[in-house]
């Protein structure tokens, strides 16, 4: 399933707003973005309820933030969250797909996507699109859960979040919400899609793929 429909969007927004595991990811992503990009334009693809842009807007006051999602229900929730957080003027949420990004070429300094890439039906077409909207030297950061967490990752997860939440997270990971070694390697070979550098960072239960135009 690529887009998350109405009721699913509402349930997802409630779960992530209360999950310490996911909130820690959002905080870490916002920290990385704000420490490297104090200003400029960024896009979050598959933003869902918009929690990552909200965190970033709190930290980077001069960054112009845009976000898209192919679920109308998610865009509505994200806009409501932005209004309530008082950041609607700096974070803009629109309907849109990674397959046809509704922005002109060479527009963004940074594109990020958290827990969405594994949903993309045509990842290669989407990456070409991301390259099109990035400025020269611009970066794409993809954050996903690891499909094959190590024993050490699983122990650390239990230690930090307790047995119940760890059980839930590991079930999501096994079911689908993650990417495996094979996919990570495939993305690294995507240099011909408009990226000249690719890199992978191990972040415990998560993995970050970086691609530079
Ligand atoms: C698991 S949610 C992640 C939401 C948010 N990024 C987060 O970290 O909580 C995946 C989101 O990706 C969106 N999505 C899936 N395929 C997409 C595509 N091709 N273009 C844009 N959004 C997409 C879905 O509608 C959904 O809102």
């Amino acid at each position: 399933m690529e887009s998350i429909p109405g009721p699913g969007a509402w349930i997802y927004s409630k779960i992530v707003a209360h999950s310490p595991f996911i909130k820690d990811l959002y905080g870490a992503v916002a920290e990385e973005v704000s420490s490297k990009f104090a200003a400029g334009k960024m896009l979050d693809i598959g933003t869902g309820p918009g929690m990552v842009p909200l965190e970033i807007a709190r930290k980077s006051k001069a960054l112009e933030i845009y976000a898209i999602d192919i679920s109308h229900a998610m865009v509505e929730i994200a806009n409501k969250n932005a209004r309530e957080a008082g950041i609607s003027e700096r974070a803009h949420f629109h309907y849109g797909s990674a397959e046809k990004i509704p922005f002109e070429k060479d527009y963004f300094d940074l594109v990020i996507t958290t827990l969405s890439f594994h949903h993309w039906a045509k990842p290669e077409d989407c990456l070409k699109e991301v390259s099109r909207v990035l400025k020269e030297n611009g970066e794409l950061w993809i954050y996903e859960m690891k499909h094959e967490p190590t024993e050490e990752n699983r122990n650390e997860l239990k230690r930090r979040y307790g047995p119940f939440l760890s059980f839930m997270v590991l079930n999501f990971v096994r079911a689908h919400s993650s990417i495996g070694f094979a996919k990570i390697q495939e993305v690294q070979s995507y240099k011909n899609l408009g990226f000249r550098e690719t890199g992978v960072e191990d972040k415990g239960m998560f993995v970050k793929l970086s691609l530079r135009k």
Side-chain angles (χ1 to χ4, degrees), residues 79-97:
N79 270 316
K80 181 170 172 283
N81 288 339
R83 275 196 305 276
E84 286 174 3
I87 52 120
S88 301
E89 284 180 11
R90 284 187 299 120
H92 312 278
F93 296 92
H94 301 286
Y95 173 83
S97 170

Side-chain angles (χ1 to χ4, degrees), residues 1-4 12 16 22 25-26 44-52 68-71 74 96-99 113-116 118-121 126:
M1 181 175 52
E2 206 178 8
S3 158
I4 297 184
Y12 182 83
V16 296
I22 295 291
L25 168 72
Y26 295 162
D44 179 27
I45 301 180
T47 193
M51 305 308 280
V52 174
I68 57 171
D69 201 288
I70 50 166
S71 158
M74 285 293 199
S97 170
E99 282 177 34
T113 181
T114 59
L115 312 181
S116 178
H118 65 275
H119 285 272
W120 299 359
C126 296

Side-chain angles (χ1 to χ4, degrees), residues 58-76:
R58 286 192 190 106
K59 288 180 188 283
S60 297
K61 308 264 184 259
L63 199 53
E64 248 180 84
I65 304 165
Y66 296 85
I68 57 171
D69 201 288
I70 50 166
S71 158
H72 287 287
M74 285 293 199
V75 175
E76 226 174 86

Side-chain angles (χ1 to χ4, degrees), residues 7-205:
W10 186 83
I11 293 166
Y12 182 83
S13 71
K14 296 293 166 201
I15 292 174
V16 296
H18 295 100
S19 161
F21 171 72
I22 295 291
K23 286 207 290 199
D24 284 353
L25 168 72
Y26 295 162
V29 174
E31 189 56 46
E32 285 191 7
V33 171
S34 58
S35 59
K36 190 152 179 203
F37 293 87
K41 291 192 183 75
M42 67 151 289
L43 173 69
D44 179 27
I45 301 180
T47 193
M51 305 308 280
V52 174
L54 254 63
E55 279 292 317
I56 295 170
R58 286 192 190 106
K59 288 180 188 283
S60 297
K61 308 264 184 259
L63 199 53
E64 248 180 84
I65 304 165
Y66 296 85
I68 57 171
D69 201 288
I70 50 166
S71 158
H72 287 287
M74 285 293 199
V75 175
E76 226 174 86
I77 294 169
N79 270 316
K80 181 170 172 283
N81 288 339
R83 275 196 305 276
E84 286 174 3
I87 52 120
S88 301
E89 284 180 11
R90 284 187 299 120
H92 312 278
F93 296 92
H94 301 286
Y95 173 83
S97 170
E99 282 177 34
K100 199 168 188 316
I101 300 173
F103 288 93
E104 62 198 58
K105 70 182 179 83
D106 304 329
Y107 196 74
F108 294 105
D109 301 281
L110 173 70
V111 175
I112 63 164
T113 181
T114 59
L115 312 181
S116 178
F117 180 74
H118 65 275
H119 285 272
W120 299 359
K122 295 181 184 162
E124 298 195 20
D125 291 353
C126 296
L127 290 176
K128 274 190 204 154
E129 260 301 89
V130 173
S131 171
R132 183 186 66 78
V133 297
L134 272 174
K135 294 177 187 170
E136 204 56 42
N137 254 323
E139 290 180 46
L140 164 65
W141 295 350
I142 301 172
Y143 295 85
E144 283 288 351
M145 282 196 264
K146 274 189 216 160
H147 192 68
E148 300 101 350
T150 61
E151 197 181 336
E152 195 188 327
N153 296 153
R154 289 196 298 269
N155 290 340
E156 174 67 7
L157 181 71
K158 272 193 210 122
R159 195 187 62 73
R160 290 181 68 172
Y161 302 104
F164 177 70
L165 188 52
S166 310
F167 172 79
M168 298 299 285
V169 168
L170 290 171
N171 270 311
F172 271 117
V173 162
R174 267 192 293 272
H176 136 96
S177 308
S178 55
I179 61 172
F181 291 133
K183 193 74 195 173
I184 293 170
Q185 276 177 345
E186 198 182 309
V187 174
Q188 286 187 282
S189 69
Y190 281 163
K191 290 191 182 149
N192 55 337
L193 300 179
F195 295 97
R196 56 194 170 84
E197 275 174 37
T198 59
V200 186
E201 272 174 67
D202 187 327
K203 295 190 170 286
M205 282 298 295

